[in-house]
Amino acid sequence: SKSPSEVPTESPSYQPTSPPEPTSSPTTKCSAAKWYYKLGFNFCTNDSDYPSLYEGTRLLSNTVDECCSFHSPGVICAVRDICDTTSSYCGGLYHPTTPDLRTC
């Protein structure tokens, strides 16, 4: 039967990994927030007050573009950005300028 020895007989077979390099734009709560269409209020928002069943579905988007394109294709999309503390995002309206581009 093998039992551990007090002195290792072999060196480790792997090298330790280095920690990840920092990025120029750190992840913040706002930058990591998911977008969803708030039913009953009819706007896309990035607050965290969405039902847990939205997790892992198309109901959560990484960007406001994805949210508006999915829930309001071809029409003006009302937006509430909780991270925008200076003014409302596009006055709260986001609209298509071409089929693939939406702007204020």
Side-chain angles (χ1 to χ4, degrees):
S1 113
K2 290 187 175 183
S3 61
S5 64
E6 291 192 24
V7 178
T9 56
E10 296 179 28
S11 60
S13 59
Y14 62 91
Q15 294 295 318
T17 59
S18 302
E21 292 293 320
T23 63
S24 61
S25 55
T27 302
T28 64
K29 181 179 178 180
C30 280
S31 67
K34 296 289 187 182
W35 288 86
Y36 72 101
Y37 193 74
K38 195 162 192 122
L39 295 173
F41 295 93
N42 301 323
F43 57 77
C44 282
T45 185
N46 57 350
D47 68 27
S48 59
D49 191 29
Y50 55 83
S52 60
L53 63 93
Y54 283 19
E55 289 289 344
T57 70
R58 287 197 64 197
L59 297 173
L60 284 182
S61 304
N62 291 320
T63 66
V64 66
D65 294 331
E66 291 174 3
C67 182
C68 285
S69 294
F70 184 70
H71 295 286
S72 301
V75 298
I76 291 176
C77 178
V79 175
R80 180 171 167 251
D81 184 352
I82 63 161
C83 301
D84 186 354
T85 57
T86 58
S87 64
S88 66
Y89 190 89
C90 297
L93 300 176
Y94 196 64
H95 61 89
T97 53
T98 69
D100 297 320
L101 177 66
R102 290 172 176 264
T103 59
C104 296

Coordinates of all heavy atoms in Angstrom, one line a residue:
S1 N 0.8 -1.2 0.0 CA 0.0 0.0 0.0 C 0.9 1.2 0.0 O 1.9 1.3 0.7 CB -0.9 -0.1 1.2 OG -0.7 0.9 2.1
K2 N 0.4 2.2 -0.8 CA 1.2 3.5 -0.8 C 0.7 4.4 0.3 O -0.5 4.6 0.5 CB 1.0 4.1 -2.2 CG 1.7 3.4 -3.3 CD 1.6 4.2 -4.6 CE 2.4 3.5 -5.7 NZ 2.4 4.3 -6.9
S3 N 1.6 5.1 0.9 CA 1.2 6.1 1.9 C 2.1 7.4 1.5 O 3.2 7.3 1.0 CB 1.5 5.6 3.3 OG 2.9 5.3 3.4
P4 N 1.5 8.5 1.9 CA 2.3 9.8 1.6 C 3.6 9.8 2.3 O 3.7 9.4 3.5 CB 1.3 10.9 2.0 CG 0.1 10.2 2.4 CD 0.3 8.7 2.5
S5 N 4.6 10.3 1.6 CA 5.9 10.5 2.3 C 6.0 11.9 2.8 O 5.2 12.8 2.4 CB 7.0 10.2 1.3 OG 7.0 11.1 0.3
E6 N 6.9 12.2 3.7 CA 7.1 13.5 4.2 C 7.8 14.4 3.2 O 7.7 15.6 3.2 CB 7.8 13.5 5.5 CG 6.9 12.9 6.6 CD 7.5 13.1 8.0 OE1 8.3 14.0 8.2 OE2 7.2 12.3 8.8
V7 N 8.6 13.8 2.3 CA 9.3 14.5 1.3 C 8.8 14.1 -0.1 O 8.9 12.9 -0.4 CB 10.9 14.2 1.4 CG1 11.6 15.0 0.3 CG2 11.4 14.6 2.8
P8 N 8.4 15.1 -0.9 CA 7.9 14.7 -2.2 C 9.0 14.0 -3.0 O 10.1 14.4 -2.9 CB 7.4 16.0 -2.8 CG 7.4 17.0 -1.7 CD 8.2 16.5 -0.6
T9 N 8.6 13.1 -3.8 CA 9.6 12.4 -4.6 C 9.6 12.9 -6.0 O 10.5 12.7 -6.8 CB 9.3 10.9 -4.7 OG1 7.9 10.7 -5.1 CG2 9.5 10.2 -3.3
E10 N 8.6 13.6 -6.5 CA 8.5 14.2 -7.8 C 8.2 15.7 -7.7 O 7.5 16.1 -6.8 CB 7.5 13.5 -8.6 CG 7.8 12.0 -8.9 CD 6.7 11.3 -9.7 OE1 6.0 12.0 -10.5 OE2 6.5 10.1 -9.5
S11 N 8.6 16.4 -8.7 CA 8.2 17.8 -8.8 C 6.8 17.9 -9.5 O 6.4 16.9 -10.1 CB 9.3 18.6 -9.6 OG 9.3 18.1 -10.9
P12 N 6.1 19.0 -9.3 CA 4.8 19.1 -9.9 C 4.9 19.0 -11.4 O 5.8 19.3 -12.0 CB 4.4 20.5 -9.5 CG 5.2 20.9 -8.4 CD 6.5 20.2 -8.5
S13 N 3.8 18.4 -12.0 CA 3.8 18.2 -13.4 C 3.2 19.4 -14.2 O 3.1 19.3 -15.4 CB 3.0 16.9 -13.7 OG 1.6 17.1 -13.2
Y14 N 2.9 20.4 -13.5 CA 2.3 21.6 -14.2 C 2.8 22.9 -13.6 O 3.3 22.9 -12.5 CB 0.8 21.6 -14.1 CG 0.3 21.7 -12.7 CD1 0.0 22.9 -12.1 CD2 0.1 20.5 -11.9 CE1 -0.4 23.0 -10.7 CE2 -0.2 20.6 -10.6 CZ -0.5 21.8 -10.0 OH -0.9 21.9 -8.7
Q15 N 2.7 23.9 -14.4 CA 3.1 25.2 -13.9 C 1.9 26.0 -13.4 O 0.8 25.9 -13.9 CB 3.8 26.0 -15.0 CG 5.1 25.4 -15.5 CD 6.2 25.5 -14.4 OE1 6.3 26.5 -13.7 NE2 6.9 24.4 -14.2
P16 N 2.1 26.8 -12.3 CA 0.9 27.6 -11.9 C 0.5 28.6 -13.0 O 1.3 29.0 -13.8 CB 1.4 28.3 -10.7 CG 2.9 28.0 -10.5 CD 3.2 27.0 -11.6
T17 N -0.8 28.9 -13.0 CA -1.3 29.8 -14.0 C -1.1 31.2 -13.5 O -1.2 31.5 -12.3 CB -2.7 29.6 -14.4 OG1 -3.5 29.7 -13.2 CG2 -2.9 28.2 -15.0
S18 N -1.0 32.2 -14.4 CA -0.9 33.6 -14.0 C -2.3 34.2 -13.9 O -3.2 33.7 -14.6 CB -0.1 34.4 -15.1 OG 1.2 33.8 -15.3
P19 N -2.4 35.2 -13.0 CA -3.8 35.8 -13.0 C -4.1 36.5 -14.3 O -3.1 36.9 -15.0 CB -3.6 36.8 -11.8 CG -2.2 37.0 -11.6 CD -1.5 35.7 -12.1
P20 N -5.3 36.7 -14.6 CA -5.7 37.4 -15.8 C -5.1 38.9 -15.8 O -5.1 39.5 -14.8 CB -7.2 37.4 -15.9 CG -7.6 37.0 -14.5 CD -6.5 36.3 -13.8
E21 N -4.8 39.4 -17.0 CA -4.3 40.7 -17.1 C -5.5 41.7 -17.0 O -6.6 41.4 -17.5 CB -3.7 40.9 -18.5 CG -2.4 40.2 -18.7 CD -1.3 40.7 -17.8 OE1 -1.2 41.9 -17.6 OE2 -0.5 39.9 -17.2
P22 N -5.3 42.8 -16.3 CA -6.4 43.8 -16.2 C -6.7 44.4 -17.5 O -5.8 44.5 -18.4 CB -5.9 44.8 -15.2 CG -4.4 44.6 -15.1 CD -4.1 43.2 -15.6
T23 N -7.9 44.8 -17.7 CA -8.3 45.4 -19.0 C -8.4 46.9 -18.8 O -8.4 47.4 -17.7 CB -9.7 45.0 -19.5 OG1 -10.7 45.3 -18.5 CG2 -9.7 43.4 -19.6
S24 N -8.4 47.7 -19.9 CA -8.5 49.1 -19.8 C -9.9 49.6 -19.4 O -10.1 50.7 -18.9 CB -8.1 49.8 -21.1 OG -9.0 49.3 -22.1
S25 N -10.9 48.7 -19.5 CA -12.2 49.1 -19.0 C -12.7 48.0 -18.1 O -13.2 47.0 -18.5 CB -13.2 49.2 -20.2 OG -13.2 48.1 -21.0
P26 N -12.6 48.3 -16.8 CA -13.0 47.3 -15.8 C -14.5 47.0 -15.8 O -15.3 47.9 -16.3 CB -12.6 48.0 -14.5 CG -12.5 49.4 -14.8 CD -12.2 49.5 -16.2
T27 N -14.9 45.8 -15.4 CA -16.3 45.5 -15.4 C -16.9 46.1 -14.2 O -16.4 46.1 -13.1 CB -16.4 43.9 -15.2 OG1 -15.8 43.3 -16.3 CG2 -17.9 43.5 -15.2
T28 N -18.0 46.8 -14.5 CA -18.8 47.4 -13.4 C -20.2 46.8 -13.4 O -20.5 46.1 -14.3 CB -18.9 49.0 -13.6 OG1 -19.7 49.1 -14.8 CG2 -17.6 49.6 -13.8
K29 N -20.9 47.1 -12.3 CA -22.2 46.6 -12.2 C -23.1 47.0 -13.4 O -23.8 46.2 -14.0 CB -22.9 47.1 -10.9 CG -24.3 46.6 -10.7 CD -24.9 47.1 -9.4 CE -26.3 46.5 -9.2 NZ -26.9 47.0 -8.0
C30 N -22.9 48.2 -13.8 CA -23.7 48.7 -15.0 C -23.2 48.0 -16.3 O -24.0 47.7 -17.1 CB -23.6 50.2 -15.1 SG -24.7 51.0 -14.0
S31 N -21.9 47.9 -16.5 CA -21.5 47.3 -17.8 C -21.8 45.9 -17.9 O -21.9 45.3 -19.0 CB -20.0 47.5 -18.0 OG -19.2 46.8 -17.0
A32 N -22.0 45.2 -16.8 CA -22.4 43.8 -16.8 C -23.9 43.6 -16.8 O -24.4 42.5 -16.9 CB -21.8 43.1 -15.6
A33 N -24.7 44.7 -16.6 CA -26.2 44.5 -16.5 C -26.8 44.0 -17.8 O -26.3 44.4 -18.9 CB -26.8 45.9 -16.2
K34 N -27.8 43.2 -17.7 CA -28.5 42.6 -18.8 C -29.7 43.5 -19.1 O -30.3 44.1 -18.2 CB -29.0 41.2 -18.5 CG -27.9 40.2 -18.3 CD -27.2 39.9 -19.6 CE -26.2 38.8 -19.4 NZ -25.5 38.5 -20.6
W35 N -30.1 43.6 -20.4 CA -31.2 44.4 -20.8 C -32.4 43.4 -21.0 O -32.3 42.3 -21.4 CB -30.9 45.1 -22.1 CG -30.0 46.2 -22.0 CD1 -28.6 46.1 -22.0 CD2 -30.3 47.6 -21.8 NE1 -28.1 47.4 -21.8 CE2 -29.1 48.3 -21.7 CE3 -31.5 48.3 -21.7 CZ2 -29.0 49.7 -21.5 CZ3 -31.5 49.7 -21.5 CH2 -30.2 50.3 -21.4
Y36 N -33.6 43.9 -20.7 CA -34.8 43.2 -20.9 C -36.0 44.1 -21.1 O -35.9 45.3 -20.8 CB -35.1 42.2 -19.7 CG -35.6 42.9 -18.5 CD1 -37.0 43.0 -18.1 CD2 -34.7 43.6 -17.6 CE1 -37.4 43.6 -17.0 CE2 -35.1 44.2 -16.5 CZ -36.5 44.2 -16.2 OH -36.9 44.9 -15.0
Y37 N -37.1 43.6 -21.7 CA -38.3 44.4 -22.0 C -39.2 44.3 -20.7 O -39.6 43.2 -20.4 CB -39.0 43.9 -23.2 CG -40.0 44.8 -23.7 CD1 -39.6 46.0 -24.4 CD2 -41.4 44.6 -23.6 CE1 -40.6 46.9 -24.9 CE2 -42.3 45.4 -24.1 CZ -41.9 46.6 -24.7 OH -42.9 47.4 -25.2
K38 N -39.4 45.4 -20.1 CA -40.2 45.5 -18.9 C -41.7 45.5 -19.3 O -42.3 46.5 -19.7 CB -39.9 46.7 -18.0 CG -40.4 46.6 -16.6 CD -39.6 47.6 -15.7 CE -39.9 47.3 -14.3 NZ -38.7 47.0 -13.5
L39 N -42.3 44.3 -19.1 CA -43.7 44.2 -19.5 C -44.6 45.1 -18.6 O -44.3 45.2 -17.4 CB -44.2 42.7 -19.4 CG -43.5 41.7 -20.3 CD1 -43.9 40.3 -20.0 CD2 -43.9 42.1 -21.7
G40 N -45.6 45.6 -19.2 CA -46.5 46.5 -18.4 C -46.1 47.9 -18.4 O -46.8 48.8 -18.2
F41 N -44.8 48.1 -18.6 CA -44.2 49.5 -18.7 C -43.8 49.8 -20.1 O -43.6 50.9 -20.5 CB -43.0 49.6 -17.7 CG -43.4 49.5 -16.3 CD1 -43.3 48.3 -15.7 CD2 -43.8 50.6 -15.6 CE1 -43.7 48.1 -14.3 CE2 -44.2 50.5 -14.3 CZ -44.1 49.3 -13.6
N42 N -43.6 48.7 -20.9 CA -43.3 48.8 -22.3 C -42.0 49.6 -22.7 O -42.0 50.5 -23.5 CB -44.5 49.4 -23.1 CG -45.7 48.6 -22.9 OD1 -45.6 47.4 -22.9 ND2 -46.8 49.2 -22.8
F43 N -40.9 49.3 -22.0 CA -39.6 49.8 -22.3 C -38.5 48.8 -22.0 O -38.7 47.9 -21.3 CB -39.3 51.2 -21.6 CG -39.4 51.1 -20.1 CD1 -38.3 50.6 -19.4 CD2 -40.5 51.7 -19.4 CE1 -38.4 50.6 -18.0 CE2 -40.5 51.6 -18.1 CZ -39.5 51.1 -17.3
C44 N -37.4 49.0 -22.7 CA -36.2 48.2 -22.4 C -35.4 48.8 -21.3 O -35.3 50.1 -21.3 CB -35.3 48.1 -23.6 SG -35.9 46.9 -24.9
T45 N -35.0 48.0 -20.3 CA -34.2 48.6 -19.2 C -33.1 47.6 -18.8 O -33.2 46.4 -19.2 CB -35.1 48.9 -18.0 OG1 -34.4 49.5 -17.0 CG2 -35.8 47.6 -17.5
N46 N -32.2 48.1 -18.1 CA -31.1 47.3 -17.6 C -31.1 47.2 -16.0 O -30.0 47.0 -15.4 CB -29.7 47.8 -18.1 CG -29.4 49.2 -17.8 OD1 -30.3 49.9 -17.3 ND2 -28.2 49.7 -18.1
D47 N -32.2 47.5 -15.4 CA -32.3 47.3 -14.0 C -32.3 45.7 -13.7 O -32.3 45.0 -14.7 CB -33.5 47.9 -13.4 CG -34.9 47.3 -13.8 OD1 -34.9 46.1 -14.1 OD2 -35.9 48.1 -13.8
S48 N -32.1 45.4 -12.5 CA -32.0 43.9 -12.2 C -33.3 43.3 -11.7 O -33.3 42.3 -11.1 CB -30.9 43.7 -11.2 OG -31.2 44.4 -10.0
D49 N -34.4 44.0 -12.0 CA -35.7 43.6 -11.5 C -36.5 42.7 -12.5 O -37.7 42.8 -12.7 CB -36.5 44.8 -11.2 CG -37.8 44.5 -10.4 OD1 -37.8 43.5 -9.6 OD2 -38.8 45.3 -10.5
Y50 N -35.8 41.8 -13.1 CA -36.5 40.8 -14.1 C -36.7 39.5 -13.4 O -36.0 39.1 -12.5 CB -35.6 40.7 -15.3 CG -34.2 40.2 -15.1 CD1 -33.9 38.9 -14.9 CD2 -33.2 41.1 -15.1 CE1 -32.6 38.5 -14.7 CE2 -31.9 40.7 -14.9 CZ -31.6 39.4 -14.7 OH -30.3 39.0 -14.5
P51 N -37.7 38.8 -13.9 CA -38.0 37.4 -13.3 C -36.9 36.5 -13.5 O -36.2 36.5 -14.6 CB -39.3 37.0 -14.1 CG -39.8 38.2 -14.7 CD -38.7 39.2 -14.9
S52 N -36.6 35.6 -12.6 CA -35.5 34.7 -12.7 C -35.7 33.7 -13.9 O -34.7 33.2 -14.4 CB -35.4 33.9 -11.4 OG -36.5 33.1 -11.1
L53 N -36.9 33.5 -14.3 CA -37.1 32.6 -15.5 C -36.5 33.2 -16.8 O -36.4 32.5 -17.8 CB -38.5 32.2 -15.6 CG -39.6 33.3 -15.9 CD1 -39.8 33.5 -17.4 CD2 -40.9 32.9 -15.3
Y54 N -36.2 34.5 -16.8 CA -35.6 35.1 -18.0 C -34.1 34.7 -18.2 O -33.6 34.7 -19.2 CB -35.6 36.7 -17.8 CG -36.9 37.3 -18.1 CD1 -38.1 36.7 -18.1 CD2 -36.9 38.7 -18.4 CE1 -39.3 37.3 -18.3 CE2 -38.1 39.4 -18.6 CZ -39.3 38.7 -18.6 OH -40.5 39.3 -18.8
E55 N -33.5 34.2 -17.1 CA -32.1 33.8 -17.1 C -31.9 32.7 -18.2 O -32.6 31.8 -18.2 CB -31.6 33.3 -15.8 CG -31.4 34.3 -14.7 CD -30.2 35.2 -15.0 OE1 -29.3 34.9 -15.8 OE2 -30.2 36.3 -14.3
G56 N -30.9 32.9 -19.1 CA -30.6 31.9 -20.1 C -31.5 31.9 -21.3 O -31.5 31.0 -22.0
T57 N -32.3 32.9 -21.4 CA -33.3 33.0 -22.5 C -33.0 34.2 -23.4 O -32.2 35.1 -23.0 CB -34.7 33.0 -22.1 OG1 -35.0 34.3 -21.5 CG2 -35.0 31.9 -21.1
R58 N -33.7 34.3 -24.5 CA -33.5 35.5 -25.4 C -34.2 36.7 -24.7 O -34.1 37.8 -25.3 CB -34.1 35.3 -26.7 CG -33.3 34.3 -27.6 CD -33.6 34.4 -29.0 NE -33.4 35.7 -29.6 CZ -33.9 36.1 -30.7 NH1 -34.6 35.3 -31.4 NH2 -33.6 37.3 -31.2
L59 N -34.9 36.5 -23.6 CA -35.6 37.7 -23.0 C -34.6 38.6 -22.3 O -34.9 39.7 -22.0 CB -36.6 37.2 -22.0 CG -37.7 36.3 -22.6 CD1 -38.6 35.7 -21.5 CD2 -38.6 37.2 -23.5
L60 N -33.3 38.1 -22.1 CA -32.3 39.0 -21.5 C -31.3 39.2 -22.7 O -30.9 38.3 -23.4 CB -31.5 38.3 -20.4 CG -32.2 38.2 -19.1 CD1 -31.3 37.5 -18.0 CD2 -32.6 39.6 -18.6
S61 N -30.9 40.5 -22.8 CA -30.0 40.9 -23.9 C -28.7 41.5 -23.3 O -28.8 42.1 -22.2 CB -30.6 41.9 -24.8 OG -31.8 41.4 -25.3
N62 N -27.6 41.5 -24.0 CA -26.4 42.1 -23.6 C -26.3 43.6 -23.8 O -25.6 44.3 -23.2 CB -25.2 41.4 -24.2 CG -25.0 40.0 -23.7 OD1 -25.1 39.7 -22.5 ND2 -24.6 39.1 -24.6
T63 N -27.1 44.0 -24.8 CA -27.1 45.4 -25.2 C -28.5 46.0 -25.4 O -29.4 45.2 -25.6 CB -26.3 45.7 -26.5 OG1 -27.1 45.0 -27.6 CG2 -24.9 45.1 -26.4
V64 N -28.6 47.3 -25.3 CA -29.9 47.9 -25.6 C -30.3 47.7 -27.1 O -31.5 47.5 -27.3 CB -29.9 49.4 -25.3 CG1 -28.9 50.2 -26.2 CG2 -31.3 50.0 -25.3
D65 N -29.3 47.6 -28.0 CA -29.6 47.3 -29.4 C -30.4 46.0 -29.5 O -31.4 45.9 -30.2 CB -28.4 47.2 -30.2 CG -27.7 48.6 -30.3 OD1 -28.3 49.6 -30.3 OD2 -26.4 48.6 -30.5
E66 N -29.8 44.9 -28.8 CA -30.4 43.6 -28.9 C -31.8 43.6 -28.3 O -32.8 43.0 -28.9 CB -29.6 42.6 -28.1 CG -28.3 42.3 -28.8 CD -27.4 41.4 -27.9 OE1 -27.8 40.9 -26.9 OE2 -26.2 41.1 -28.4
C67 N -32.0 44.3 -27.2 CA -33.3 44.3 -26.5 C -34.3 45.0 -27.4 O -35.4 44.5 -27.7 CB -33.2 45.1 -25.2 SG -34.8 45.2 -24.3
C68 N -34.0 46.2 -28.0 CA -34.9 46.9 -28.8 C -35.2 46.2 -30.1 O -36.4 46.1 -30.6 CB -34.4 48.3 -29.1 SG -34.6 49.4 -27.7
S69 N -34.2 45.6 -30.7 CA -34.4 44.8 -32.0 C -35.3 43.6 -31.8 O -36.1 43.3 -32.6 CB -33.0 44.4 -32.5 OG -32.3 45.5 -32.9
F70 N -35.2 43.0 -30.6 CA -36.0 41.8 -30.4 C -37.4 42.2 -30.0 O -38.4 41.5 -30.4 CB -35.3 41.0 -29.2 CG -36.0 39.7 -28.9 CD1 -36.0 38.6 -29.8 CD2 -36.7 39.5 -27.8 CE1 -36.6 37.4 -29.6 CE2 -37.4 38.3 -27.5 CZ -37.3 37.3 -28.4
H71 N -37.6 43.2 -29.2 CA -38.9 43.5 -28.7 C -39.7 44.6 -29.4 O -40.9 44.7 -29.3 CB -38.8 43.9 -27.2 CG -38.4 42.7 -26.3 ND1 -39.2 41.7 -26.0 CD2 -37.2 42.5 -25.7 CE1 -38.5 40.8 -25.3 NE2 -37.3 41.3 -25.1
S72 N -39.0 45.5 -30.1 CA -39.6 46.6 -30.9 C -39.0 46.7 -32.2 O -38.5 47.8 -32.6 CB -39.4 47.9 -30.1 OG -40.0 47.8 -28.8
P73 N -39.0 45.7 -33.0 CA -38.3 45.8 -34.3 C -39.0 46.7 -35.2 O -40.2 46.7 -35.4 CB -38.4 44.3 -34.9 CG -39.5 43.7 -34.2 CD -39.6 44.4 -32.8
G74 N -38.3 47.7 -35.8 CA -38.8 48.6 -36.8 C -39.6 49.8 -36.2 O -40.1 50.6 -37.0
V75 N -39.7 49.9 -34.9 CA -40.4 51.0 -34.3 C -39.6 51.6 -33.2 O -38.6 51.1 -32.8 CB -41.8 50.5 -33.7 CG1 -42.7 50.0 -34.8 CG2 -41.6 49.5 -32.6
I76 N -40.1 52.8 -32.8 CA -39.4 53.5 -31.7 C -39.4 52.6 -30.4 O -40.5 52.0 -30.1 CB -40.0 54.9 -31.4 CG1 -39.7 55.8 -32.6 CG2 -39.5 55.5 -30.1 CD1 -40.4 57.1 -32.5
C77 N -38.3 52.5 -29.7 CA -38.2 51.7 -28.5 C -37.9 52.6 -27.4 O -37.0 53.4 -27.3 CB -37.0 50.7 -28.7 SG -36.7 49.7 -27.3
A78 N -38.8 52.6 -26.4 CA -38.6 53.4 -25.1 C -37.5 52.7 -24.3 O -37.5 51.4 -24.2 CB -39.9 53.5 -24.3
V79 N -36.6 53.5 -23.7 CA -35.4 52.9 -23.0 C -35.3 53.6 -21.6 O -35.5 54.8 -21.5 CB -34.1 53.2 -23.8 CG1 -32.9 52.7 -23.0 CG2 -34.2 52.4 -25.1
R80 N -35.0 52.8 -20.6 CA -34.6 53.3 -19.3 C -33.3 52.7 -18.9 O -33.2 51.5 -18.6 CB -35.7 53.0 -18.3 CG -35.3 53.5 -16.9 CD -36.5 53.4 -15.9 NE -35.9 53.6 -14.6 CZ -35.8 52.7 -13.7 NH1 -36.2 51.4 -13.9 NH2 -35.3 53.0 -12.5
D81 N -32.3 53.5 -18.9 CA -30.9 53.1 -18.6 C -30.6 53.5 -17.2 O -30.4 54.7 -16.9 CB -29.9 53.7 -19.6 CG -28.5 53.2 -19.4 OD1 -28.2 52.5 -18.4 OD2 -27.6 53.5 -20.3
I82 N -30.5 52.5 -16.3 CA -30.2 52.9 -14.9 C -28.8 53.4 -14.7 O -28.5 53.9 -13.6 CB -30.5 51.7 -13.9 CG1 -29.6 50.5 -14.2 CG2 -32.0 51.3 -14.0 CD1 -29.5 49.5 -13.1
C83 N -27.9 53.1 -15.6 CA -26.5 53.6 -15.5 C -26.3 55.0 -16.0 O -25.3 55.6 -15.7 CB -25.6 52.6 -16.3 SG -25.7 50.9 -15.7
D84 N -27.3 55.5 -16.7 CA -27.2 56.9 -17.2 C -27.7 57.9 -16.2 O -28.9 58.0 -16.0 CB -28.0 57.0 -18.5 CG -27.8 58.4 -19.2 OD1 -27.1 59.2 -18.6 OD2 -28.3 58.5 -20.3
T85 N -26.7 58.5 -15.4 CA -27.1 59.4 -14.4 C -27.2 60.8 -14.8 O -27.7 61.7 -14.1 CB -26.1 59.3 -13.2 OG1 -24.8 59.6 -13.7 CG2 -26.1 57.9 -12.6
T86 N -26.8 61.1 -16.0 CA -26.8 62.5 -16.5 C -28.1 62.9 -17.2 O -28.6 63.9 -17.0 CB -25.6 62.8 -17.5 OG1 -25.8 61.9 -18.6 CG2 -24.3 62.6 -16.8
S87 N -28.6 62.0 -17.9 CA -29.9 62.2 -18.6 C -30.5 60.9 -19.1 O -29.8 59.9 -19.1 CB -29.7 63.2 -19.8 OG -28.9 62.5 -20.8
S88 N -31.7 60.9 -19.5 CA -32.3 59.6 -20.0 C -31.7 59.3 -21.3 O -31.4 60.2 -22.1 CB -33.8 59.7 -20.0 OG -34.2 60.7 -21.0
Y89 N -31.5 58.0 -21.6 CA -30.9 57.5 -22.8 C -31.8 58.0 -24.0 O -32.9 57.6 -24.1 CB -30.8 56.0 -22.7 CG -30.0 55.4 -23.8 CD1 -28.7 55.2 -23.6 CD2 -30.6 55.0 -24.9 CE1 -27.9 54.6 -24.6 CE2 -29.9 54.4 -25.9 CZ -28.5 54.2 -25.8 OH -27.8 53.6 -26.8
C90 N -31.2 58.8 -24.8 CA -31.9 59.3 -26.0 C -33.3 59.9 -25.7 O -34.2 59.8 -26.4 CB -32.2 58.1 -27.0 SG -30.7 57.4 -27.6
G91 N -33.4 60.5 -24.6 CA -34.7 61.1 -24.2 C -35.7 60.0 -23.9 O -36.9 60.2 -23.9
G92 N -35.2 58.8 -23.7 CA -36.0 57.6 -23.4 C -36.5 57.0 -24.7 O -37.2 56.0 -24.6
L93 N -36.1 57.5 -25.8 CA -36.5 56.9 -27.1 C -35.3 56.4 -27.9 O -34.3 57.1 -28.0 CB -37.4 57.9 -27.9 CG -38.6 58.4 -27.2 CD1 -39.3 59.4 -28.1 CD2 -39.6 57.2 -27.0
Y94 N -35.5 55.3 -28.6 CA -34.4 54.7 -29.4 C -35.1 54.2 -30.6 O -36.1 53.5 -30.5 CB -33.8 53.6 -28.6 CG -32.5 53.0 -29.0 CD1 -31.4 53.8 -29.0 CD2 -32.4 51.7 -29.5 CE1 -30.2 53.3 -29.4 CE2 -31.2 51.3 -29.9 CZ -30.1 52.1 -29.9 OH -28.9 51.6 -30.3
H95 N -34.7 54.6 -31.8 CA -35.5 54.3 -33.0 C -34.6 53.8 -34.1 O -33.4 54.1 -34.1 CB -36.3 55.5 -33.5 CG -35.4 56.7 -33.8 ND1 -34.9 56.8 -35.1 CD2 -34.9 57.7 -33.1 CE1 -34.1 57.9 -35.1 NE2 -34.1 58.5 -33.9
P96 N -35.2 53.0 -35.0 CA -34.4 52.5 -36.1 C -34.1 53.6 -37.2 O -34.9 54.4 -37.5 CB -35.3 51.4 -36.7 CG -36.6 51.8 -36.4 CD -36.5 52.6 -35.0
T97 N -32.9 53.6 -37.7 CA -32.5 54.5 -38.8 C -32.4 53.7 -40.1 O -32.6 54.2 -41.2 CB -31.2 55.3 -38.5 OG1 -30.2 54.4 -38.2 CG2 -31.4 56.3 -37.4
T98 N -32.0 52.5 -39.9 CA -32.0 51.5 -41.0 C -32.4 50.2 -40.4 O -32.5 50.1 -39.2 CB -30.6 51.4 -41.7 OG1 -29.7 50.7 -40.7 CG2 -30.0 52.7 -42.1
P99 N -32.6 49.2 -41.2 CA -33.0 47.9 -40.6 C -32.0 47.3 -39.6 O -32.4 46.6 -38.7 CB -33.2 46.9 -41.8 CG -33.5 47.9 -42.9 CD -32.7 49.1 -42.7
D100 N -30.7 47.7 -39.7 CA -29.7 47.1 -38.8 C -29.1 48.2 -37.9 O -28.3 47.8 -37.1 CB -28.6 46.5 -39.7 CG -29.1 45.4 -40.5 OD1 -29.9 44.6 -40.0 OD2 -28.6 45.2 -41.6
L101 N -29.6 49.4 -37.9 CA -29.0 50.4 -37.1 C -30.0 51.2 -36.4 O -31.0 51.7 -36.9 CB -28.1 51.4 -38.0 CG -27.5 52.6 -37.2 CD1 -26.4 52.1 -36.3 CD2 -26.9 53.5 -38.3
R102 N -29.8 51.4 -35.1 CA -30.8 52.2 -34.3 C -30.0 53.3 -33.6 O -28.9 53.1 -33.1 CB -31.4 51.3 -33.2 CG -32.4 50.4 -33.8 CD -32.9 49.4 -32.7 NE -33.9 48.5 -33.2 CZ -35.2 48.8 -33.1 NH1 -35.6 49.8 -32.4 NH2 -36.1 47.9 -33.7
T103 N -30.5 54.5 -33.6 CA -29.8 55.6 -33.0 C -30.8 56.5 -32.2 O -32.0 56.3 -32.2 CB -29.2 56.5 -34.1 OG1 -30.2 57.0 -34.9 CG2 -28.2 55.8 -34.9
C104 N -30.3 57.5 -31.5 CA -31.1 58.5 -30.8 C -31.8 59.4 -31.8 O -31.3 59.6 -32.9 CB -30.3 59.3 -29.9 SG -29.5 58.3 -28.6

